[in-house]
Amino acid sequence: MAVPSPTGLETYPASLSQRRLWFLDQLRASSAAYNVPVGLWLYGPLDVGLLERSLQVIVSRHDTLRTSLVLERGELMQRILPSHTVSLPVTDFAHLHEPYPPAYEFAKRDVGTAFDLGKAPLFRSHLLRIKPDEHVLLCTMHHTITDAWSMRVFTRELAVLYEALTNGVTPDLPELAIQYGDYSVWQHRLVETESAQRQLSYWKERLAGSPPVLELPSEHPRPAEQTFEGATWTFTLPAQVISAALSLAKQHQVTPFMLLLAAFKTLLYRYSGQPDVLVGVPVAGRTQVETEPLIGFFVDTLVLRDDLSGNPRFLDLLAQVRETTLGALANAEVPFERVVEALRPERNLSYNPVFQVMFSVIQSAIRSHAFGNVVAYPYVVNTNSSILDLFATFIEDSDGKWWLQFDFSTALFSVERISQIFENYTEILRQVTVDPEIQIDDLRLPAVSRAIPRLPVSPHKKDPGRHRRDGLSGSLVKPEARAVPVAASEQALLLEIWKAALGVEKIGVRDNFFDLGGHSLLAARVTSQIQEATGRALPVSAIFRAPTIETLAILLRNNTVSEPDPIAMPLRQNAAGVPLFAVVAPGADSLGYALLARHLGERDSAYKLQGPGPGIWDRPFRKDELRTLAQQYISAMREVQPHGPYCMGGMCDGVLIAQEMILQLESAGEEVAFFAILDTWVLENSQIRALWAINYYLERLRTFRQLPLRQRMHKIERTFRTLAGRNGSTDLGWPQAYWPNQDFEAPRFRAPVILFKRPRQPYYYVRDPEMGWGARSSGGVEIHEMRCGHYELLRQPHVSIIGEKLSARLREINQRPMQQTLRVPGTTIRGQMGDGLSAELPQFSV
């Protein structure tokens, strides 16, 4: 399929790789883990003005350097600025006696500063003046707009432009045939072709049944969630070792990459004891000649799986690695994102899916020291992040030297461990180049020390001293905050914004937002106006943490508004008693629960359980997603309350997660004292299907008619491609998901249900007063009819009624005799799990 002609549009669909990184950025909050730096150490009489002009030409030439990623009507798009004026700030260290250490620390801070993916450009440059004739040019890009190949394109073009401008001649750069957005459009078409589907089948077969994780010896237990905290260490490979390795590769007609990878897999096998070894390998991803001169995120990942069992000779392993690599390269048109979707590995936040170790062989971004009237050398800035357990990169520089760089997770490995890995890997290369027929178990290596396995510690470990209550329910302020005087002008600004949003004339600085009638829409309006007035991004969830003008001003002043929210966030805290846990889906509106907490009893406690991320709206939850969310929520809940009885409630998709939590808890012998459900149906077999379908497609038609013409055409094209490419696929969308097949077994649990419902339900539901829950709960269903609409349940006056009912139930539970509220040690009650909601089906609806 040919790359399309340039369209000239200012927006394009995001590529599949960009979608993945954007999602990770949303899931884990902005991070510098995917920042890609390149540094040039420039010696000579540098002309800073000409260098800035050279950067301007490159930014004007490549759309990616003027790109941001934004959601438009539910679709992630690349938005391209028509122009951007480059400025090259200069920081002078030449006056210092020892300029090199502070310059390097400055560079590390600059590289470690996160980008906002919604704001262009995702590129910045800075010039460090070390001495009058010695400078460092530091350029940092987000990985969504660049890769290693792109950095070579960038440095090559920069050298050409600077030299031409220095000599007063017109730069000789050929015109770009397409831009990255055109490639993205082409990629979306490519993945639907018959060839791509055949290649996808190859990967599904090749990687089926692979081990989920490669466990290497480490100094620390694997954390419950990846932290991305890491380090980089670079070692020089002995010249004689790399020379012998390159000679052996040539002798046996394999590439240096294949030989170095075979030795690396041998090391991983000897360290882990696992013969089934999977390693991720980056490939350029530029299969069309038009993409070669572009700056953009083209790099893709191949997973190379080899079997090292049976103590093979190294030469036999090398032959296997060669065939594995060639087979992977022959099926490299399918993006890794599609492979992961097809495999559907069980997601675990503690490690990367499919593979945790990566390996690559690259050339240095700087291939020539010529740079106009100055000389250029690489300036390497080691980052403090690692997206994988271990990433080994061989780098061949322009002088023929070879380096081995390790990016590693400091949550797992120490520097001493990484040094040991390098020494053992070098020793393997020495031995196999001397005796290539040696069997891999016979390689002489020092004994590898192994850490004693320990249970991971939750990242949400409760620390009683970390926060204190400020005399207001749900108001959390850092202990040191009171020592900082809050300017009256900040409180005055917030007061005016609150008055306008809430329509209340008299507001005290300690009045609670929710007591004044605040709800989610008003909270969004307040945070938006604060951002406009102060230029400070303020998440809506900040209203949970600081629901008064006084506490919100402290957050703003201390610059803590962007701190990530814990999964278990207190809404109302008291010293004793079983709390209420409100289960909320990631990305869902949860402010109504803060108002509900205000209407519980004075002695009651309440927590919101909500995971990070933008949420899932355009499809059902998958089995692995639901299980992972439930496990995360349970872990966070147990940090607050180690054992049952648990009191839980939810609405819409929160009910879906809560039910999975209940199944897991009851299977472990824990009691769930009640399950409060806010107006949410069990869908399967509880509707008149034809009437539901009419309503569903009418709603889709109304949404479609509101789209601009270009997006309508795009949606029609995508729909036809989906229908044409399904070919009997079992992937389920919303209409199919509501009616399970004959093998579906509804889950059963013991927790009694407290159901708050509207008296009148949509016409397409079967008239079941228990809304389907009586068939699932052996504890019975207690019904409370609320005379309001669905979305009014968590607003006044209805929320106060619900609060009173739940508070009464909490009092009953907290007044039980002690032996009834404690889990008996050593006992396990096995609940009927069934397939539950694991049939890839969303069983609930609003």
Side-chain angles (χ1 to χ4, degrees), residues 506-637:
K506 293 184 178 181
I507 299 177
V509 294
R510 295 191 178 184
D511 287 345
N512 190 284
F513 176 83
F514 301 102
D515 287 342
L516 296 170
H519 50 76
S520 58
L521 294 179
L522 291 178
R525 186 183 306 169
V526 164
T527 54
S528 176
Q529 291 176 352
I530 292 173
Q531 182 171 345
E532 290 178 5
T534 65
R536 301 273 297 282
L538 186 70
V540 176
S541 61
I543 303 296
F544 277 121
R545 288 182 276 162
T548 70
I549 290 175
E550 183 180 52
T551 54
L552 188 57
I554 293 172
L555 287 184
L556 285 170
R557 188 170 182 82
N558 290 351
N559 196 26
T560 56
V561 293
S562 59
E563 288 185 356
D565 295 331
I567 290 180
M569 178 180 285
L571 304 177
R572 188 183 188 100
Q573 286 182 291
N574 281 297
V578 174
L580 172 68
F581 291 96
V583 182
V584 190
D589 177 15
S590 56
L591 287 169
Y593 292 108
L595 188 57
L596 174 62
R598 299 288 297 170
H599 288 87
L600 296 175
E602 293 182 357
R603 302 176 62 86
D604 297 327
S605 296
Y607 288 79
K608 178 194 71 165
L609 297 175
Q610 185 172 30
I616 297 172
W617 312 111
D618 58 346
R619 61 170 175 81
F621 274 120
R622 293 197 307 267
K623 170 184 175 181
D624 59 307
E625 293 169 333
L626 194 61
R627 184 187 298 117
T628 299
L629 281 172
Q631 290 170 350
Q632 291 173 357
Y633 285 26
I634 289 173
S635 176
M637 183 170 67

Side-chain angles (χ1 to χ4, degrees), residues 664-827:
Q664 293 185 20
L665 288 167
E666 291 188 348
S667 177
E670 297 284 8
E671 178 194 358
V672 177
F674 68 73
F675 182 14
I677 298 174
L678 303 182
D679 201 48
T680 304
W681 274 89
V682 173
L683 285 181
E684 90 284 343
N685 302 324
S686 63
Q687 298 172 335
I688 301 173
R689 180 169 183 171
L691 294 178
W692 182 92
I694 291 172
N695 185 81
Y696 173 81
Y697 286 109
L698 281 175
E699 184 60 33
R700 293 195 66 182
L701 178 61
R702 281 193 292 269
T703 303
F704 174 80
R705 293 177 64 180
Q706 294 173 359
L707 296 175
L709 179 60
R710 182 167 60 84
Q711 292 190 25
R712 290 190 211 175
M713 299 305 296
H714 175 68
K715 201 169 187 69
I716 290 172
E717 180 185 1
R718 190 178 63 178
T719 300
F720 277 112
R721 286 203 311 268
T722 301
L723 293 174
R726 181 167 289 167
N727 293 329
S729 170
T730 58
D731 291 343
L732 297 179
W734 286 110
Q736 295 83 9
Y738 287 149
W739 288 277
N741 57 34
Q742 296 178 349
D743 297 329
F744 173 77
E745 182 179 350
R748 295 280 294 170
F749 51 82
R750 295 185 299 278
V753 169
I754 306 175
L755 178 62
F756 299 92
K757 53 172 278 190
R758 294 166 289 169
R760 292 180 58 85
Q761 295 294 328
Y763 60 85
Y764 43 80
Y765 286 114
V766 174
R767 292 297 179 184
D768 175 7
E770 295 182 337
M771 300 176 74
W773 293 108
R776 293 202 172 183
S777 170
S778 61
V781 179
E782 176 184 318
I783 299 174
H784 298 277
E785 287 196 350
M786 308 297 297
R787 299 193 174 277
C788 62
H790 176 78
Y791 293 104
E792 297 171 352
L793 284 168
L794 292 178
R795 294 191 185 179
Q796 284 287 40
H798 317 289
V799 67
S800 61
I801 299 173
I802 296 175
E804 290 173 5
K805 300 288 186 185
L806 294 180
S807 182
R809 185 57 64 89
L810 287 171
R811 283 197 302 273
E812 293 176 10
I813 294 164
N814 288 319
Q815 290 171 0
R816 287 182 186 177
M818 182 60 68
Q819 64 269 21
Q820 290 185 344
T821 63
L822 294 178
R823 178 172 178 261
V824 180
T827 62

Side-chain angles (χ1 to χ4, degrees), residues 33 50 65 98 127 131 140 172 183 193 256 306 316 380 386 438 445 463-464 472 499 541 548 553 557 579 621:
L50 294 184
L65 299 182
E98 271 296 329
L127 189 67
K131 293 180 180 178
T140 307
D172 185 20
Y183 157 80
T193 62
D306 288 292
D316 295 331
V380 179
S386 178
I438 190 172
L445 296 177
D463 181 1
L472 295 170
K499 285 182 178 179
S541 61
T548 70
R557 188 170 182 82
F621 274 120

Side-chain angles (χ1 to χ4, degrees), residues 306-346:
D306 288 292
D307 182 4
L308 280 71
S309 62
N311 194 19
R313 299 183 307 159
F314 180 78
L315 282 182
D316 295 331
L317 174 60
L318 181 59
Q320 182 187 158
V321 169
R322 178 182 184 275
E323 294 305 311
T324 299
T325 304
L326 293 177
L329 292 173
N331 293 275
E333 289 186 349
V334 179
F336 178 66
E337 289 73 22
R338 284 299 175 91
V339 175
V340 175
E341 290 175 8
L343 292 174
R344 294 187 177 182
E346 182 173 339

Side-chain angles (χ1 to χ4, degrees), residues 164-186:
L165 293 174
T166 301
N167 296 328
V169 299
T170 302
D172 185 20
L173 289 178
E175 185 176 351
L176 299 176
I178 63 169
Q179 290 288 346
Y180 184 80
D182 303 308
Y183 157 80
S184 181
V185 172
W186 168 80

